[in-house]
Amino acid sequence: MQRYNPKDIEPKWQQAWEDQKLHEAIDFDEKPKFVMLTEFPYPSGDGLHLGHAREYTLGDIIARHKRMTGHNVLYPMGFDAFGLPTENYAIKNKVSPQSATDTNVENFIKQFKSLGYGMDWNRCFKTTDPEYYKWTQWLFLQFYKSGLAYQDEIAINWCPKCKTGLANEEVVGGLHERCDTPVEKKFLKQWLLKITKYADRLIDGLATVDYPSRIADQQINWIGRSIGAEVEFEVPNAGASIKVFTTRPDTLFGATFLVLAPEHPLIEQLTDVDNKAAVEDYIRTTAQKSEIERQETNREKTGVHTGAYAINPASGEQIPIWIADYVLVGYGTGAIMAVPAHDERDFAFAQKFDLPITRVIQNDAPDGEPTAHEGIMINSGLYDGQKSQEVRNTIIKDLADQNLAEERVNYKLRDWIFSRQHYWGEPIPIIHCVKDGPVAVPESDLPVELPHVERYEPTDNGESPLAEIADWVETICPVCGGPAKRETDTMPNWAGSSWYYLRYFDPRNNEAFAAENKLAYWQNVDLYLGGMEHTTLHLLYSRFWHQFLYDQGLVPTPEPYVSRRGQGIVLAADGTKMSKSKGNIVNPTEIIDQGYGADALRLAIAFLAPYDQTTPWSPDGVAGTYRFLQRTWNLTHEVVSMDATRDDFESAEIEKVVHSAIAKVSIDLHHMRFNTAIAALMELSNQLYKLQKVCSRLQLIDALVVMMKLLAPFAPHIAEELWAMLGKEGSVHRSEWPVHDPELLTADTVTVVVQINGKVRAELSLPSGSNEADVVELAHKNEKTAQYLGDNPIRKTIYVPDKLVNFVI
Ligand code: ANZ
């Protein structure tokens, strides 16, 4: 018998699939479309790593399964090639970013193909292709023409190592997320995109898509919508007034002092001569502190009294005005009313400086501890005895009548800083004319191509290296024909990825970023699999671009991704992060070359753990999945060469075994439970081995034919090889996904009773040992149950395995 040797079969089938155009998506096909998207990689010099392999393997399993369930699947791949990683790689290796990109992309594609991914390579592009970035620039101009791209001179986050400005989203804990260098503040004229205009839409749109709640919550928290009020405090002696932003106007009577950010513009005017030296000293010390230090919550509070007093508009009392660095200048009004009885930071501050603490809400919390909880108002004049939630609104209305307050919604989200002072990015298609100011490059002149240069290292002066190329910079104004200069800043690497999925729908179009009829057919992404770390960067940015395009009538759907899932990280075997410096990186190509092959590797990756769990790599896993494939290979060979006279003996058992495997694998794939689906396939293989003795050859062949279909999405090469060996024509990947016959599961079927408030309302016939989530879902969707449930929210679900579901409403 021929031995299982992946090297003999994998390259052969990869070539055959390409020849048969198996993975090409067909525009306007009658079958329902399914767009499976995985995040496209940076083509770094290190090639594909195991983290990539997890994402793309899982994407490929879903794409292959969807093809077999009758979908016109688009599973595309491209390269996100602009940006710092490629530029740094090129500088280090003394090559141009263009040629580094080409070499790396070639290597990536080879790796992709060796893993057997069924991607549509006809639609592949790099974000650095001029034919692609022409449209990135065109889209930027749509923002510009709508007033959503604008220039401003602002203090931005600057990475001194990478010598570039950064978006807020790129700064994590005060460090540049790419190189962990502490960021500095720098005043620079910048291009910004007005993402804040979409703050509400970006939150509200989440209700219309299927994202895991932790991803949705992370976006909501990042946008940070807070509904509150601005309240005005008079400062009679200075003839001034101070506005504060508060989310808790109900606590106004408890505001016993005000605190200004050290950068607040009114400080000079308010400071008493006696306190001047101390105040100036405090402002100077704060200026030396980094953002990280200032934002640490558990730090000892510091501050200084201005010497001035304001009037609490509710109680009429005089309260002191302090300065402290825990109040940030960039949020709200840069001033707060401090309510030490109900806010922890204010409490710590009041204790340190011996300021009065007045409790205004009575609840379960003991006296002498700050409590933010709701309760009944006390020490609040007319409002005493009312509920704090209710007073929150009424007090603002009452103060608004005297022009002392107004409702206000604030966001943490800031406009997106869109300029980078780097070479390797899309040139921003703007021309600065002495006479006409900034002018859009005419569409017919797009793309503004990145010129080839000798030196592309970033500079220290805050200008991109493009500024040094005089004959590129000097140009004429498209409006007046007079002398003008090109914008020399480039776009951030997040630009090209903000719309790339749309280009896969029509990748070679030269007249539009994508044709309307192709957009109408493919619509949007059905499932987007990617890393959790992109939630408030790429995922948020691309939703913003898409919503804007929708408003412009350029795309047919309001959201880009119908559903999103995040795969977990693969750690090194010892549970630490894989890193080059530790030398613990696992290279997928090496595993294939060691003789395990792509199929065993794909299975090991999917079998590792539930897909969304961060998990250590198990080096023994591939040996295990390889053995499983080898057993399946041997079994098939044995069955095919069996004596045909055996065909008189039969066993009814085999059908049950096969159909329960169909049921299990199908349900597991539906819920992306790849690891348990593989366990079911292993179990099936074991059962068939045992049944060999009691079944006919034909029965075994039929069973193996079904098994190959079930195995095909996971281990596509061996499934294809054995499919042919079993005498089947065509490709297993073009065959139909099997459907289980519930009758055949009868021996193992149990009746689960569905109750509502303890009364029996329906019965379900299900395979025994069904998963709780599936049973509850089925019970909930059941027609009879639905009738009784109506719109009532379910307060509690009681579940007894294989017996009962009881909904309490
Ligand atoms: C009085 C108060 C009483 C507050 C209370 C909270 C609890 P979010 O939800 O993040 O919007 N605040 C306002 N501007 C600030 C600034 N520039 N720097 C630091 N803190 C600031 O938080 C809004 C709350 O944070 C506001 O409501 C204000 O404190 C504080 F029991 O006002 B609050």
Side-chain angles (χ1 to χ4, degrees):
M1 181 174 61
Q2 198 195 345
R3 270 189 62 240
Y4 171 49
N5 183 3
K7 280 187 187 144
D8 293 341
I9 62 166
E10 291 184 350
K12 175 183 82 181
W13 287 117
Q14 285 156 16
Q15 188 58 51
W17 296 332
E18 215 169 304
D19 296 344
Q20 296 165 22
K21 304 185 194 302
L22 196 68
H23 307 128
E24 288 179 20
I26 303 159
D27 294 326
F28 314 118
D29 194 88
E30 278 169 13
K31 290 179 196 162
K33 66 99 189 183
F34 188 86
V35 181
M36 175 70 229
L37 188 72
T38 44
E39 289 173 349
F40 61 165
Y42 294 113
S44 80
D46 303 329
L48 213 60
H49 55 69
L50 216 54
H52 290 127
R54 189 182 206 184
E55 177 172 342
Y56 304 139
T57 298
L58 302 181
D60 193 49
I61 293 171
I62 297 168
R64 287 181 180 275
H65 175 236
K66 283 283 173 187
R67 267 188 213 109
M68 293 175 75
T69 55
H71 293 83
N72 178 27
V73 173
L74 171 55
Y75 185 37
M77 190 46 65
F79 296 93
D80 191 12
F82 270 136
L84 294 180
T86 308
E87 187 173 291
N88 290 342
Y89 172 86
I91 292 173
K92 207 172 116 202
N93 293 284
K94 301 215 173 353
V95 291
S96 77
Q98 285 89 348
S99 76
T101 300
D102 289 345
T103 318
N104 295 346
V105 161
E106 207 177 304
N107 182 38
F108 263 80
I109 293 182
K110 217 183 283 162
Q111 283 187 296
F112 274 119
K113 291 190 175 169
S114 74
L115 274 148
Y117 296 146
M119 291 159 178
D120 184 348
W121 290 107
N122 283 339
R123 295 175 189 252
C124 181
F125 57 82
K126 308 189 283 290
T127 52
T128 50
D129 296 335
E131 303 78 30
Y132 179 81
Y133 70 70
K134 167 181 176 175
W135 296 108
T136 310
Q137 291 174 334
W138 185 85
L139 292 167
F140 173 85
L141 289 179
Q142 309 312 305
F143 281 103
Y144 181 64
K145 287 172 185 165
S146 306
L148 293 182
Y150 65 99
Q151 269 188 302
D152 198 7
E153 175 139 355
I154 51 163
I156 59 151
N157 297 305
W158 174 265
C159 174
K161 177 150 181 274
C162 300
K163 297 179 182 169
T164 184
L166 302 171
N168 290 339
E169 288 79 3
E170 290 170 306
V171 181
V172 179
L175 308 175
H176 180 198
E177 53 112 24
R178 284 216 167 272
C179 64
D180 287 344
T181 306
V183 300
E184 296 167 358
K185 288 274 175 212
K186 195 168 180 132
F187 265 93
L188 274 181
K189 197 159 188 191
Q190 297 286 315
W191 282 97
L192 292 105
L193 290 192
K194 212 174 250 168
I195 189 172
T196 51
K197 190 177 167 205
Y198 282 77
D200 285 323
R201 291 268 297 280
L202 287 167
I203 292 177
D204 300 341
L206 289 169
T208 67
V209 291
D210 167 25
Y211 288 16
S213 55
R214 59 177 176 160
I215 293 183
D217 289 347
Q218 218 181 313
Q219 291 202 341
I220 291 169
N221 291 337
W222 180 258
I223 297 166
R225 173 163 66 189
S226 54
I227 298 170
E230 268 182 22
V231 183
E232 202 159 326
F233 288 68
E234 309 271 352
V235 189
N237 287 343
S241 71
I242 295 173
K243 270 194 185 156
V244 305
F245 172 69
T246 176
T247 46
R248 295 297 301 270
D250 48 317
T251 64
L252 187 53
F253 279 84
T256 51
F257 56 102
L258 295 187
V259 188
L260 308 181
E263 299 87 349
H264 198 283
L266 276 180
I267 288 180
E268 214 181 274
Q269 192 184 337
L270 297 180
T271 303
D272 207 86
V273 237
D274 298 342
N275 300 47
K276 208 168 169 81
V279 167
E280 282 172 0
D281 192 46
Y282 186 73
I283 293 174
R284 218 171 305 122
T285 335
T286 311
Q288 283 157 9
K289 282 189 192 154
S290 71
E291 284 272 311
I292 324 177
E293 279 176 87
R294 282 184 63 173
Q295 283 169 27
E296 273 166 16
T297 37
N298 292 331
R299 175 174 62 97
E300 173 93 16
K301 292 277 172 298
T302 61
V304 60
H305 183 208
T306 57
Y309 291 83
I311 305 294
N312 180 321
S315 66
E317 272 170 35
Q318 259 207 355
I319 58 172
I321 306 171
W322 283 68
I323 301 170
D325 61 6
Y326 75 94
V327 177
L328 305 171
V329 68
Y331 187 66
T333 62
I336 65 159
M337 63 181 218
V339 185
H342 302 288
D343 181 275
E344 279 194 37
R345 292 177 307 174
D346 300 344
F347 182 78
F349 195 85
Q351 279 202 317
K352 166 115 190 240
F353 294 103
D354 216 7
L355 293 159
I357 300 175
T358 307
R359 185 164 185 167
V360 292
I361 296 172
Q362 198 58 57
N363 55 26
D364 291 346
D367 270 332
E369 263 176 42
T371 166
H373 289 189
E374 308 288 353
I376 300 298
M377 302 308 303
I378 53 169
N379 297 326
S380 297
L382 285 174
Y383 303 99
D384 279 358
Q386 300 182 26
K387 288 185 182 151
S388 54
Q389 299 94 303
E390 287 159 14
V391 170
R392 194 120 78 233
N393 294 322
T394 47
I395 200 165
I396 289 309
K397 295 213 174 73
D398 296 347
L399 285 171
D401 292 342
Q402 310 162 51
N403 273 334
L404 286 172
E406 59 182 338
E407 275 178 47
R408 181 93 205 190
V409 183
N410 261 326
Y411 302 87
K412 297 242 154 54
L413 187 72
R414 293 283 165 269
D415 278 343
W416 174 8
I417 293 163
F418 202 68
S419 292
R420 294 295 178 275
Q421 293 71 37
H422 267 250
Y423 170 70
W424 194 231
E426 302 86 346
I428 291 177
I430 295 285
I431 288 170
H432 299 277
C433 170
V434 191
K435 198 166 126 266
D436 296 302
V439 176
V441 170
E443 281 176 23
S444 54
D445 290 352
L446 296 179
V448 177
E449 280 203 46
L450 201 53
H452 285 269
V453 292
E454 292 299 320
R455 284 191 44 240
Y456 43 80
E457 281 85 352
T459 67
D460 288 308
N461 61 8
E463 277 201 306
S464 123
L466 290 177
E468 290 173 18
I469 314 172
D471 59 351
W472 183 79
V473 175
E474 305 295 340
T475 185
I476 51 163
C477 170
V479 178
C480 71
K485 283 184 191 320
R486 285 191 189 281
E487 171 64 56
T488 58
D489 280 356
T490 52
M491 299 189 197
N493 59 312
W494 312 106
S497 57
S498 286
W499 71 281
Y500 76 112
Y501 51 95
L502 296 169
R503 188 66 175 170
Y504 290 132
F505 301 166
D506 195 6
R508 308 285 168 247
N509 195 329
N510 235 340
E511 307 301 316
F513 69 91
E516 213 172 311
N517 57 350
K518 292 189 182 168
L519 285 162
Y521 178 77
W522 292 107
Q523 300 257 321
N524 54 7
V525 172
D526 292 278
L527 176 59
Y528 193 13
L529 190 62
M532 286 295 295
E533 71 276 19
H534 295 143
T535 303
T536 55
L537 285 159
H538 158 65
L539 200 64
L540 192 66
Y541 292 152
S542 54
R543 290 187 56 228
F544 160 50
W545 277 47
H546 194 96
Q547 292 185 346
F548 167 72
L549 297 184
Y550 179 70
D551 288 351
Q552 298 291 304
L554 293 170
V555 294
T557 66
E559 286 281 340
Y561 319 118
V562 176
S563 42
R564 166 81 181 186
R565 295 289 179 270
Q567 82 278 355
I569 298 166
V570 186
L571 302 169
D574 61 2
T576 61
K577 217 179 140 191
M578 285 194 191
S579 80
K580 236 198 284 186
S581 57
K582 277 195 263 162
N584 59 3
I585 288 184
V586 178
N587 179 337
T589 307
E590 268 170 33
I591 298 179
I592 296 176
D593 292 346
Q594 277 162 17
Y596 289 117
D599 283 340
L601 174 61
R602 294 167 56 111
L603 281 173
I605 288 171
F607 194 49
L608 205 54
Y611 79 95
D612 54 354
Q613 244 170 51
T614 289
T615 189
W617 174 244
S618 146
D620 307 333
V622 207
T625 52
Y626 179 82
R627 271 196 308 278
F628 156 63
L629 292 178
Q630 196 175 32
R631 258 168 84 79
T632 306
W633 172 276
N634 292 346
L635 172 68
T636 309
H637 278 73
E638 281 162 29
V639 166
V640 168
S641 55
M642 258 178 190
D643 185 353
T645 55
R646 287 169 52 107
D647 282 350
D648 353 325
F649 56 101
E650 280 208 4
S651 158
E653 186 63 20
I654 193 164
E655 293 214 302
K656 282 189 205 157
V657 166
V658 168
H659 281 257
S660 74
I662 298 174
K664 179 89 178 94
V665 176
S666 306
I667 293 175
D668 282 352
L669 273 176
H670 178 73
H671 292 285
M672 293 178 58
R673 290 193 296 254
F674 306 102
N675 56 332
T676 53
I678 294 170
L681 285 166
M682 292 175 167
E683 172 65 16
L684 174 63
S685 158
N686 289 341
Q687 296 278 358
L688 293 182
Y689 243 104
K690 282 189 210 144
L691 288 165
Q692 252 191 116
K693 298 195 191 71
V694 293
C695 289
S696 76
R697 180 177 168 275
L698 279 179
Q699 276 189 312
L700 288 162
I701 286 185
D702 286 349
L704 284 167
V705 163
V706 175
M707 181 173 174
M708 290 317 132
K709 292 186 181 206
L710 299 180
L711 187 62
F714 302 91
H717 311 86
I718 191 174
E720 190 78 310
E721 178 79 14
L722 297 180
W723 174 261
M725 160 133 283
L726 289 162
K728 301 297 285 184
E729 305 242 317
S731 168
V732 66
H733 302 291
R734 286 201 209 270
S735 72
E736 250 174 68
W737 188 256
V739 181
H740 77 272
D741 178 353
E743 301 268 299
L744 288 170
L745 303 177
T746 43
D748 290 310
T749 300
V750 288
T751 303
V752 175
V753 171
V754 185
Q755 299 181 337
I756 295 173
N757 290 347
K759 286 207 182 86
V760 177
R761 298 299 189 193
E763 282 183 359
L764 305 173
S765 198
L766 294 168
S768 71
S770 293
N771 169 291
E772 172 170 354
D774 298 337
V775 178
V776 171
E777 191 184 325
L778 283 173
H780 191 231
K781 282 193 187 146
N782 180 280
E783 242 175 69
K784 285 190 206 147
T785 328
Q787 242 174 14
Y788 287 102
L789 282 176
D791 290 334
N792 296 308
I794 292 165
R795 288 198 291 126
K796 202 170 154 192
T797 304
I798 298 156
Y799 174 73
V800 183
D802 287 347
K803 292 205 168 65
L804 165 118
V805 180
N806 182 11
F807 295 116
V808 182
I809 58 172

